[in-house]
């Protein structure tokens, strides 16, 4: 049976701050009740991941980002065919678009937790700043996952200052 909530962290643990998504999943595995939460990780999003959205009530994607305005950003995702649509590494919005296209229905409510990263060199560990950003994002994710309610999650989109 599919768990109603999917937590999907992606990134490469061998590429410095790109490990932020998978590292947040490790935190969640050790601190959050996973009775209703499935954890999935991969190096990058691919077209096949659209099928992982099926029968979910909430989905949280987690990734490192150099584009964060704050320590972390939390956003609602909408399906969108962007330029990643035809590549091997897709954006979360493109994955939602694929889901909508193949299932002929809207995807479940999906959110993106982007954690600010700075250094993505192969063979490097987390930067000192990324470690701080991860700690704050973990605390935020723990609060979210303690209250699996779409309306409450949406409230955090506008007031998460990271």
């Amino acid at each position: 049976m599919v768990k109603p909530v999917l937590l999907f962290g992606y990134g490469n643990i061998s590429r410095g701050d790109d490990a932020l998504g998978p590292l947040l999943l490790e935190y969640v595995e050790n601190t959050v009740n996973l009775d209703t939460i499935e954890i999935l990780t991969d190096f990058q999003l691919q077209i096949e991941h659209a099928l992982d959205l099926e029968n979910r009530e909430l989905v949280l994607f987690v990734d490192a980002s150099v584009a964060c305005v704050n320590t972390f950003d939390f956003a609602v995702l909408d399906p969108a065919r962007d330029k990643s649509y035809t590549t091997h590494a897709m954006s979360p919005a493109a994955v939602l678009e694929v889901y909508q296209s193949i299932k002929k229905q809207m995807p479940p409510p999906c959110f993106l937790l982007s954690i600010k990263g700075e250094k993505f060199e192969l063979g490097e560990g987390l930067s000192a700043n990324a470690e701080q950003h991860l700690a704050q994002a973990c605390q935020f994710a723990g609060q979210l996952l303690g209250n699996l309610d779409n309306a409450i999650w949406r409230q955090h989109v506008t007031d998460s200052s990271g």
Side-chain angles (χ1 to χ4, degrees):
M1 181 169 173
V2 173
K3 293 183 179 181
V5 177
L6 175 64
L7 176 60
F8 192 153
Y10 53 100
N12 186 334
I13 59 171
S14 299
R15 296 190 64 93
D17 295 352
D18 199 35
L20 287 166
L23 290 173
L24 185 132
L25 296 189
E26 287 181 16
Y27 168 83
V28 167
E29 284 179 317
N30 293 317
T31 61
V32 174
N33 180 341
L34 299 177
D35 289 347
T36 59
I37 302 169
E38 181 176 341
I39 292 181
L40 181 63
T41 187
D42 209 331
F43 286 114
Q44 60 192 13
L45 295 176
Q46 299 180 29
I47 196 166
E48 295 84 1
H49 290 124
L51 298 176
D52 294 312
L53 306 180
E54 194 168 18
N55 299 315
R56 306 294 182 172
E57 294 174 17
L58 278 171
V59 178
L60 177 59
F61 292 91
V62 184
D63 191 23
S65 174
V66 295
C68 284
V69 175
N70 302 299
T71 300
F72 61 85
D73 293 333
F74 183 62
V76 174
L77 289 169
D78 293 311
R81 184 177 289 196
D82 56 26
K83 54 188 170 186
S84 75
Y85 184 76
T86 57
T87 68
H88 290 289
M90 299 177 71
S91 70
V95 172
L96 273 59
E97 173 68 25
V98 170
Y99 176 88
Q100 184 172 293
S101 176
I102 62 175
K103 293 306 220 175
K104 307 296 184 217
Q105 65 186 29
M106 288 296 294
C110 295
F111 297 82
L112 175 62
L113 177 58
S114 302
I115 307 168
K116 189 171 190 172
E118 301 168 345
K119 298 182 178 182
F120 295 83
E121 290 80 24
L122 184 62
E124 293 292 320
L126 279 186
S127 66
N129 285 340
E131 286 184 26
Q132 293 175 353
H133 302 164
L134 176 62
Q136 292 178 31
C138 285
Q139 182 179 17
F140 177 75
Q143 292 171 351
L144 278 180
L145 296 170
N147 195 340
L148 302 175
D149 183 310
N150 178 32
I152 291 175
W153 283 28
R154 287 181 181 275
Q155 291 173 1
H156 288 286
V157 169
T158 57
D159 67 11
S160 72
S161 58

